[in-house]
């Protein structure tokens, strides 16, 4: 019965691919880039540019950095979709992506990802600088080869170390303006590093059955919810403490540490509450991990808005 169902599903997908309109195909290619991920990455790039410029950076430079960064992130996501197309077909959260629906072939997606990577490097190298282009290319390669191909299906620490790729936009935003690295973007790099596990594990807790079904050892798959909650709390404390380091390291005004402290306190309260719910019950409906997931997006967004506003408010 399973074979028959799978065959019927494949036939339906094939028919759907034949009937796909140009609009469907364009939407599928856009979907390969995971636009929501790109938004999040750019959110940590542009504010850092404001901070590095100690004001408003040159518009042309911002546009070039945003375009180059978006192309790079889209390329990495497309490569990820190609490599993970086997498990994406089986997971509820991902089965509507372009490759599982057979709207785009794996070969076409691979070419698309490569073209985006080349364009990203060219844009950043020509209109930003070679350091930013190199960092962007390194982040792309790290996400594809280290996270997607090496870590994701092998270890519970996949997102901890694989998440390093998502920290690079802070470095890229800084180097785009200054042309060199410094301790300030490293602090922000670490903030994103410690933020990634709570953010991702909350989502993985919501979809732990999906990950278990495809043998991806995300922490919520191999550990009880209470332990996941404990790990989330530990990383959350490290994240908030690191965020406050920007004050002495970069010499910010009072505005940034005040905003970071308030935002951090609210996030820690939410993380502890989820841990408490996880200790009381293992049922997803009781734990409500998506509440923390959405809170993590809001936290990072507002924290980096504070990074951008701090130099503007003290000029």
């Amino acid at each position: 019965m399973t074979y028959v169902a799978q065959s019927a599903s494949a036939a339906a997908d094939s028919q759907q691919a034949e009937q796909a309109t140009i609009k469907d195909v364009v939407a599928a290619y856009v979907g390969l880039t995971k636009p929501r991920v790109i938004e999040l990455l750019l959110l940590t790039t542009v504010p850092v540019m404001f901070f590095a410029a100690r004001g408003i950076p040159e518009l042309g430079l911002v546009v070039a950095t945003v375009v180059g960064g978006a192309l790079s992130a889209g390329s990495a996501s497309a490569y990820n979709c190609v490599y993970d197309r086997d498990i994406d077909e089986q997971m509820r959260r991902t089965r509507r992506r372009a490759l599982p629906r057979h709207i785009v072939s794996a070969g076409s997606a691979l070419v698309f990802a490569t073209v985006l990577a080349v364009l990203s490097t060219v844009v950043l190298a020509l209109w930003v600088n070679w350091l930013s282009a190199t960092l962007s290319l390194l982040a792309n390669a790290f996400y594809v080869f280290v996270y997607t191909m090496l870590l994701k299906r092998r270890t519970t620490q996949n997102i901890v170390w694989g998440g390093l790729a998502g920290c690079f936009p802070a470095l890229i935003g800084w180097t785009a303006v200054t042309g060199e690295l410094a301790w300030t973007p490293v602090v922000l790099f670490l903030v994103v590093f410690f933020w990634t596990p709570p953010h991702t594990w909350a989502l993985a807790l919501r979809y732990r059955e999906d990950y278990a079904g495809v043998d991806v050892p995300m922490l919520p798959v191999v550990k009880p919810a209470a332990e996941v909650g404990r790990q989330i709390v530990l990383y959350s404390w490290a994240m908030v403490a690191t965020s406050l380091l920007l004050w002495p390291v970069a010499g910010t005004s009072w505005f940034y540490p005040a905003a970071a402290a308030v935002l951090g306190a609210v996030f820690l309260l939410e993380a502890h509450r989820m841990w408490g719910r996880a200790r009381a019950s293992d049922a997803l409906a009781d734990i409500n991990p998506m509440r923390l997931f959405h809170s993590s997006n809001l936290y990072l967004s507002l924290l980096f808005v504070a990074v951008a506003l701090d130099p503007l408010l003290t000029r």
Side-chain angles (χ1 to χ4, degrees):
M1 291 294 292
T2 301
Y3 174 77
V4 173
Q6 289 177 341
S7 297
S9 176
D13 284 341
S14 178
Q15 183 179 9
Q16 182 180 27
E18 292 176 359
Q19 296 175 348
T21 65
I22 293 177
K23 182 179 178 181
D24 294 331
V25 174
V26 171
Y29 275 105
V30 172
L32 286 173
T33 67
K34 301 181 184 177
R36 295 299 298 273
V37 174
I38 292 176
E39 290 175 14
L40 197 60
L41 293 176
L42 295 181
L43 181 66
T44 58
T45 303
V46 177
V48 176
M49 296 183 72
F50 275 72
F51 195 82
R54 305 306 297 177
I56 301 175
E58 180 187 344
L59 179 60
L61 181 63
V62 173
V63 171
T65 306
V66 166
V67 171
L71 290 171
S72 180
S75 168
S77 293
Y79 279 127
N80 174 266
C81 287
V82 173
Y83 190 82
D84 281 349
R85 63 189 184 279
D86 58 331
I87 61 176
D88 281 351
E89 286 195 22
Q90 303 174 57
M91 296 177 65
R92 288 174 299 165
R93 187 173 66 87
T94 57
R95 63 176 53 151
R96 300 300 297 169
R97 289 177 177 172
L99 290 175
R101 293 172 62 198
H102 304 286
I103 294 179
V104 176
S105 69
S108 297
L110 190 62
V111 171
F112 177 66
T114 304
V115 169
L116 291 183
V118 172
L119 287 176
S120 168
T121 304
V122 170
V123 169
L124 291 173
L126 292 182
W127 288 289
V128 183
N129 57 58
W130 272 105
L131 178 56
S132 297
T134 301
L135 289 171
S136 181
L137 195 58
L138 180 61
N140 191 334
F142 192 93
Y143 183 77
V144 174
F145 295 108
V146 178
Y147 170 64
T148 301
M149 299 178 68
L150 180 63
L151 298 176
K152 183 174 181 178
R153 307 191 193 201
R154 290 180 172 85
T155 172
T156 59
Q157 296 300 299
N158 49 17
I159 198 60
V160 176
W161 300 110
L164 282 169
C167 306
F168 274 78
L171 302 181
I172 294 167
W174 181 271
T175 58
V177 173
T178 68
E180 60 184 13
L181 288 171
W183 284 113
T184 295
V186 171
V187 171
L188 294 171
F189 178 100
L190 291 174
V191 169
V192 181
F193 173 77
F194 289 120
W195 169 87
T196 301
H199 169 77
T200 309
W201 285 336
L203 183 66
L205 192 57
R206 166 66 178 82
Y207 292 100
R208 61 184 175 186
E209 292 183 3
D210 273 5
Y211 286 109
V214 294
D215 296 323
V216 174
M218 299 295 287
L219 187 67
V221 172
V222 300
K223 296 291 183 181
E227 175 59 20
V228 176
R230 187 182 76 87
Q231 291 285 338
I232 284 176
V233 165
L234 291 175
Y235 274 95
S236 298
W237 275 98
M239 174 190 71
V240 173
T242 304
S243 73
L244 293 171
L245 276 179
L246 191 67
W247 179 22
V249 169
T252 70
S253 73
W254 60 269
F255 174 76
Y256 172 79
V262 171
L263 291 171
V266 172
F267 188 85
L268 286 173
L269 179 62
E270 192 61 51
H272 276 276
R273 282 177 174 171
M274 198 201 82
W275 185 24
R277 295 193 299 269
R279 284 181 293 176
S281 172
D282 195 57
L284 283 177
D286 296 329
I287 299 172
N288 191 14
M290 293 304 288
R291 177 169 175 169
L292 182 68
F293 174 79
H294 294 305
S295 295
S296 68
N297 285 331
L298 184 61
Y299 167 83
L300 196 69
S301 301
L302 293 179
L303 183 74
F304 275 81
V305 167
V307 168
L309 288 178
D310 188 83
L312 298 178
L313 295 175
T314 56
R315 295 178 67 180

